[in-house]
Amino acid sequence: FPVTIAAEKCGLAYTKMKRKGNQAKKLKADMAFKTAESYRFTDRFREANEWYDRALLLDYQEVVPEVLYYNGEMLRMMGDFDKALKNYEEYKKLVPSDERADTGIQSCNGSKNFVANKTKHVVTNQTAINKPEFDMSPMFQDRKETKMFFASSRTGSTGNEKDQIACENYMDIWVSEVDKKGNWGEPRLIDNSGLINTEAHEGSVAFDGRGKVMFFTRCPMLKKQNLGCDIWMTEMKGADKWDEPVKLDLKGGIDSITVGHPCVSDDGKFLIFVSDLPGGFGGRDLWYTTFDKKTGWAAPKNMGPEVNTAGNELFPTFGKDGSLYYSTDGKPGLGGLDMFKATKVGEEMKWENAQNLGFPINSENNDYGL
């Protein structure tokens, strides 16, 4: 079932279940946990928190200790740092080896400092572009920053199917152009040929330095098949026209692995991406590959502990000064995913000393896709 429907069905099942006897209590608690998870996966934090509370009242932490951690995450993203801290500390007692608990505790203890040390940035909602649906991961195609590509599930996207998690249209790649007054125009689909935007999910684009080669993520959705996501590459062959895309072989033949969120160097030969490839540090990590004309794209390598954590690292982007920006929930922050900036080491393709971008760029919610 789509997640929101799953939440309703699990919640209904919970109300009909009895709690007398240890086994019945355990089953009822498990149904509360499933309901909470369904809400968490769609970023409905308050509803998820309420159902995690129900599971905790039925002592579900004795069965699945993570219920304490996930409830702490929801409370932190609601701005209730004191209650979140208690959940993380209780979880830490049960699973002392989980680094995520330490990150949560540090985040709660440092939350007031983030707000007190507010940066001079001003965050403004781009109301001319945004719609009620998901709009995410913007990227400029040209150096003058007049064309902005982004992913959206808004009305008009290709295909009629609904995403089974978000219950919205599958995402497509859209573009908006800025006028002489600095205003962004009505977004349009980047391509009408069916080569780029398809009935699958497309999004998270990156361009080489000339803006002529585009890398993008595509996630096919086939029933009863776990195909993960792939990175595709295409070249521009005219105004608003793109060549037939080619899929990059980065998964070693394992369909269920996901690769996506491309971030490419100006020469188009060094590619950072997100994946759950084996051998990572936990969750999704940042990996990289290099291109050689004779041998093609090299076997992916993990970017190491200076960048990756036991949590999730997502949405890498190069800054103009060579810095690497990305989002992670594995380092102390305000809530969920926060954006960080890692400094480039000399002329090497290596980054270290990742620093939180602070408030108000980062918030209690998920922040990503800079």
Side-chain angles (χ1 to χ4, degrees):
F1 294 111
V3 171
T4 50
I5 297 175
E8 293 171 4
K9 289 185 177 292
C10 289
L12 181 61
Y14 170 89
T15 62
K16 295 183 177 181
M17 297 173 76
K18 297 181 180 180
R19 58 176 291 176
K20 290 184 178 179
N22 288 334
Q23 188 60 26
K25 178 183 175 183
K26 189 182 295 184
L27 289 171
K28 191 175 179 73
D30 182 65
M31 193 56 66
F33 180 70
K34 286 183 169 65
T35 308
E37 291 285 89
S38 297
Y39 282 123
R40 178 170 70 89
F41 286 134
T42 49
D43 292 341
R44 296 170 68 176
F45 312 127
R46 293 189 181 281
E47 292 92 337
N49 169 61
E50 290 171 5
W51 283 96
Y52 284 131
D53 279 344
R54 288 186 174 95
L56 289 168
L57 287 171
L58 294 169
D59 299 320
Y60 196 61
Q61 65 273 25
E62 296 174 5
V63 181
V64 179
E66 283 80 7
V67 67
L68 284 163
Y69 171 77
Y70 290 132
N71 200 32
E73 291 286 275
M74 298 303 99
L75 287 163
R76 183 156 66 100
M77 296 179 79
M78 292 161 55
D80 195 337
F81 295 103
D82 291 337
K83 285 186 179 179
L85 179 61
K86 292 178 181 178
N87 276 266
Y88 291 131
E89 290 174 339
E90 289 300 313
Y91 176 62
K92 179 73 175 175
K93 292 176 185 176
L94 296 175
V95 190
S97 62
D98 195 332
E99 296 175 11
R100 297 178 302 171
D102 299 318
T103 300
I105 291 169
Q106 291 174 39
S107 297
C108 290
N109 288 332
S111 60
K112 293 179 181 178
N113 287 334
F114 273 111
V115 178
N117 295 318
K118 180 179 179 180
T119 69
K120 294 181 179 180
H121 297 95
V122 177
V123 178
T124 306
N125 192 325
Q126 297 300 296
T127 54
I129 299 175
N130 292 322
K131 296 293 183 184
E133 297 83 9
F134 287 124
D135 303 300
M136 58 190 279
S137 207
M139 181 61 60
F140 293 118
Q141 180 188 13
D142 58 322
R143 293 186 183 277
K144 292 183 179 180
E145 301 180 352
T146 63
K147 274 190 173 183
M148 183 169 64
F149 286 57
F150 63 96
S152 179
S153 59
R154 64 185 57 204
T155 301
S157 295
T158 310
N160 299 315
E161 296 290 328
K162 295 285 185 182
D163 179 83
Q164 292 294 288
I165 295 178
C167 297
E168 292 193 2
N169 295 328
Y170 286 172
M171 284 194 161
D172 274 351
I173 303 170
W174 295 70
V175 61
S176 175
E177 295 188 52
V178 70
D179 62 22
K180 293 181 180 179
K181 295 182 179 179
N183 299 315
W184 291 101
E186 183 66 24
R188 66 180 188 280
L189 288 169
I190 66 163
D191 173 77
N192 294 318
S193 66
L195 292 176
I196 310 299
N197 287 320
T198 67
E199 293 188 355
H201 275 296
E202 282 88 22
S204 297
V205 306
F207 297 95
D208 69 348
R210 299 177 304 131
K212 301 295 184 182
V213 181
M214 179 172 71
F215 298 78
F216 66 94
T217 308
R218 177 177 288 164
C219 305
M221 298 291 175
L222 297 178
K223 291 181 180 179
K224 298 183 179 180
Q225 293 188 52
N226 182 10
L227 299 179
C229 300
D230 290 283
I231 293 174
W232 294 69
M233 182 178 71
T234 180
E235 292 191 45
M236 201 170 197
K237 61 176 186 178
D240 292 330
K241 290 185 179 180
W242 297 90
D243 209 347
E244 186 164 349
V246 176
K247 182 167 68 174
L248 276 58
D249 182 14
L250 301 171
K251 296 160 63 167
I254 306 175
D255 285 343
S256 60
I257 286 176
T258 282
V259 296
H261 300 190
C263 170
V264 68
S265 58
D266 281 350
D267 63 6
K269 295 181 179 179
F270 184 88
L271 179 71
I272 297 175
F273 62 94
V274 172
S275 184
D276 55 356
L277 281 161
F281 290 83
R284 302 276 169 88
D285 277 5
L286 296 190
W287 297 71
Y288 73 90
T289 178
T290 55
F291 181 78
D292 182 273
K293 284 186 177 181
K294 294 181 179 179
T295 57
W297 292 98
K301 293 184 179 180
N302 192 284
M303 294 195 69
E306 287 290 343
V307 171
N308 292 314
T309 68
N312 294 291
E313 281 68 50
L314 306 165
F315 299 101
T317 310
F318 285 131
K320 292 179 181 179
D321 62 352
S323 299
L324 176 64
Y325 294 85
Y326 65 99
S327 293
T328 179
D329 57 11
K331 293 178 179 290
L334 271 170
L337 293 165
D338 270 14
M339 290 188 285
F340 284 73
K341 175 184 177 180
T343 305
K344 195 169 185 287
V345 180
E347 295 304 314
E348 300 178 63
M349 299 304 270
K350 184 179 179 182
W351 291 263
E352 63 183 15
N353 193 29
Q355 297 292 317
N356 191 298
L357 291 184
F359 178 81
I361 288 182
N362 287 318
S363 69
E364 294 160 2
N365 294 291
N366 287 323
D367 304 292
Y368 48 76
L370 187 65

